[in-house]
């Protein structure tokens, strides 16, 4: 893969950083050791280090030349609360925690780009290296923005990247507009009247009512929204009762809703409340809905997609860059940064092997120089040095 020669020269360093982080995974807002490593490396490279945003976040600031333009590059640092089933030497040493999403690789690639850019300073402006905690459900990106990320470290645009298993190693994909979905959660409690299971006529069965609600909720995507607007409604938990011969007093449903368009997302809660409430009333039960908005849709700005694509093509060639990539119903809290600033989020192929969030997943070290070269090239192309 054609990468920047200097970055290729310290590939082994990036691999060592990545495997070190992989072996010591830390959960959301607990990334103390990882943040210490990141901060130490940035300082070693001669980059100004700032800590404390979103508890364990780290921002490195690198300036060159005289331009007041600035670009942000973001990587996530947290791991998942799951056991690792790999047996290689850099497997997790922290029980019940695993880097099963490649954040270890994302961090190592951004450190690699930081090292190179600090050495060469072949740009004119400021780079903000943003190392974010708590992407895996903790909303670290949201908290960084709320705590003043872009006021304290101003940028004109911000860029993120994620590895993508199942795609050829080193192949890039991006698209303008919605690229990842929103992720909302809900709890529905259906209350009836418990009774002996042999005498259901003496009570009001919340389980039967809940079963009707589960089925009817699918009409949100099939009948409530346009076929052209992708929506997912998934009931992932059903909890009711403790005995074979007792109809319980209540049944709890939990799950998630996903959408790409903000206007579509805005109507989901009302539709769910109307459908579930109507069925509950018709069957003599009571229903309460706790609907919680999570990550918003991740929406790439068209201009920044072109910026990203130009840098990717320079690194891997046009034939290995897709600019009309498929959107995914997965979610990402980089979306909060893209609500605050224009930018683009890209996928970098991780090659064959287990998928993300699989206990046998591992980041592909071969793509470390590719990702780092993309970051560095993006900066050099868009903050060009002025002619002497």
């Amino acid at each position: 893969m054609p990468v920047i020669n200097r970055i290729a020269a310290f590939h082994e360093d990036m691999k060592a950083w990545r495997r070190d982080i992989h072996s010591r995974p830390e959960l959301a807002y607990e990334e103390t050791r990882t943040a210490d490593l990141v901060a130490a490396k940035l300082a070693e490279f001669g980059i100004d280090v700032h800590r404390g945003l979103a508890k364990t976040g780290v921002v490195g600031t690198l300036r060159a030349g005289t331009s007041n333009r600035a670009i942000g590059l973001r990587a996530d640092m947290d791991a998942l609360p799951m056991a690792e089933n790999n047996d290689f030497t850099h497997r997790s040493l922290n029980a019940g925690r695993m880097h099963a999403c490649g954040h270890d690789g994302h961090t190592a690639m951004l450190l690699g780009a930081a090292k190179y850019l600090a050495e060469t300073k072949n740009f004119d402006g400021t780079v903000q290296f943003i190392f974010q905690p708590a992407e895996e459900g903790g909303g670290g990106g949201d908290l960084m923005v709320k705590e003043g990320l872009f006021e304290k470290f101003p940028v004109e645009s911000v860029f993120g990247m994620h590895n993508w298993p199942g795609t050829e190693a080193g192949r890039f994909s991006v698209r303008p507009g919605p690229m990842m979905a929103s992720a909302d959660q809900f709890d529905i409690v259906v209350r009836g009247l418990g009774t002996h299971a042999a005498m259901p006529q003496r009570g009001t069965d919340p389980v039967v009512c809940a079963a009707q609600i589960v089925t009817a909720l699918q009409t949100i995507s099939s009948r409530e929204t346009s076929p052209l607007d992708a929506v997912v409604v998934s009931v992932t938990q059903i909890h009711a009762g403790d005995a074979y011969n007792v109809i319980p007093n209540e049944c709890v449903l939990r799950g998630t809703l996903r959408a790409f368009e903000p206007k579509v997302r805005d109507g989901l809660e009302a539709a769910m409340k109307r459908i579930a409430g109507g069925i509950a009333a018709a069957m003599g039960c009571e229903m309460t809905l706790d609907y919680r908005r999570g990550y918003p849709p991740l929406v790439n700005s068209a201009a920044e997609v072109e910026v990203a694509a130009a840098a990717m093509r320079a690194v891997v060639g046009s034939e290995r860059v897709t600019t009309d990539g498929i959107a995914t119903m997965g979610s990402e809290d980089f979306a909060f940064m893209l609500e605050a600033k224009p930018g683009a989020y890209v996928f970098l192929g991780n090659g064959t092997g287990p998928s993300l969030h699989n206990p046998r997943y591992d980041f592909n070290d071969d793509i470390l120089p590719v990702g780092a070269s993309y970051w560095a090239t993006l900066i050099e192309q868009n903050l060009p040095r002025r002619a002497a």
Side-chain angles (χ1 to χ4, degrees):
M1 299 176 188
V3 299
I4 294 172
N5 288 337
R6 175 57 186 143
I7 290 178
F10 56 77
H11 185 181
E12 289 301 316
D13 291 338
M14 285 190 287
K15 185 188 298 186
W17 305 334
R18 203 281 296 181
R19 295 188 175 190
D20 184 354
I21 295 169
H22 186 97
S23 69
R24 298 287 186 178
E26 297 169 302
L27 302 182
Y29 300 119
E30 299 176 0
E31 307 95 337
T32 304
R33 183 183 183 277
T34 306
D36 286 345
L37 184 152
V38 167
K41 289 299 175 185
L42 293 175
E44 177 186 321
F45 305 153
I47 296 172
D48 293 337
V49 179
H50 312 270
R51 303 185 65 171
L53 273 184
K55 301 179 182 179
T56 49
V58 181
V59 179
T61 300
L62 178 65
R63 298 179 178 87
T66 59
S67 172
N68 59 7
R69 295 183 60 206
I71 291 176
L73 306 178
R74 172 269 199 180
D76 36 18
M77 301 188 294
D78 58 322
L80 284 156
M82 58 185 288
E84 180 164 5
N85 289 343
N86 290 311
D87 56 7
F88 42 60
T89 57
H90 61 277
R91 65 185 178 276
S92 173
L93 299 176
N94 296 342
R97 301 174 184 181
M98 178 188 175
H99 270 294
C101 204
H103 297 184
D104 50 343
H106 303 164
T107 296
M109 289 190 292
L110 190 52
L111 283 175
K115 177 179 172 65
Y116 168 81
L117 290 169
E119 285 183 0
T120 60
K121 289 190 170 64
N122 186 31
F123 65 95
D124 187 10
T126 300
V127 186
Q128 306 288 7
F129 301 98
I130 303 165
F131 293 86
Q132 180 212 300
E135 189 283 321
E136 296 289 357
D142 185 28
L143 187 55
M144 288 191 94
V145 171
K146 287 178 177 176
E147 290 187 355
L149 172 65
F150 295 127
E151 289 75 33
K152 297 174 181 177
F153 309 99
V155 298
E156 61 188 49
S157 55
V158 62
F159 296 84
M161 176 166 50
H162 204 294
N163 78 99
W164 205 249
T167 297
E168 177 190 357
R171 176 177 288 276
F172 283 100
S173 176
V174 67
R175 60 178 289 132
M179 186 162 175
M180 300 186 77
S182 60
D184 297 340
Q185 296 179 335
F186 66 87
D187 291 79
I188 294 174
V189 180
V190 181
R191 295 182 179 87
L193 179 62
T195 186
H196 196 295
M199 294 173 276
Q201 75 280 5
R202 295 187 177 180
T204 306
D205 193 338
V207 178
V208 172
C209 179
Q212 298 295 321
I213 291 173
V214 170
T215 300
L217 288 179
Q218 299 309 309
T219 64
I220 293 176
S221 59
S222 67
R223 291 297 180 269
E224 296 278 331
T225 57
S226 167
L228 301 179
D229 292 325
V231 171
V232 168
V233 180
S234 292
V235 178
T236 58
Q237 299 181 47
I238 302 177
H239 302 278
D242 300 296
Y244 287 95
N245 60 349
V246 176
I247 291 175
N249 280 319
E250 69 178 41
C251 181
V252 178
L253 306 175
R254 297 189 177 108
T256 184
L257 292 91
R258 307 290 174 110
F260 286 124
E261 295 293 339
K263 61 180 175 55
V264 174
R265 181 197 193 195
D266 289 342
L268 297 180
E269 180 178 359
M272 173 169 280
K273 186 174 184 178
R274 174 174 50 80
I275 291 169
I279 291 173
M283 301 187 72
C285 293
E286 296 180 352
M287 185 282 302
T288 58
L289 169 64
D290 178 16
Y291 190 99
R292 300 178 301 280
R293 288 197 168 210
Y295 296 172
L298 186 150
V299 182
N300 285 335
S301 50
E304 279 64 36
V305 164
E306 288 305 313
V307 165
M312 293 186 286
R313 292 185 187 110
V315 175
V316 299
S318 298
E319 69 281 1
R320 304 186 77 195
V321 175
T322 301
T323 55
D324 58 353
I326 298 173
T328 172
M329 279 294 179
S331 63
E332 234 288 352
D333 78 344
F334 186 66
F336 289 108
M337 295 190 186
L338 291 182
E339 285 188 329
K341 293 290 179 179
Y345 191 73
V346 310
F347 292 143
L348 172 58
N350 198 58
T352 59
S355 183
L356 302 172
H357 294 212
N358 183 288
R360 290 195 175 277
Y361 166 87
D362 191 30
F363 186 90
N364 183 352
D365 287 327
D366 290 343
I367 67 172
L368 289 169
V370 181
S373 293
Y374 159 67
W375 286 135
T377 301
L378 188 152
I379 295 301
E380 291 180 340
Q381 287 184 344
N382 292 280
L383 298 177
R385 291 178 64 177
R386 300 175 184 179

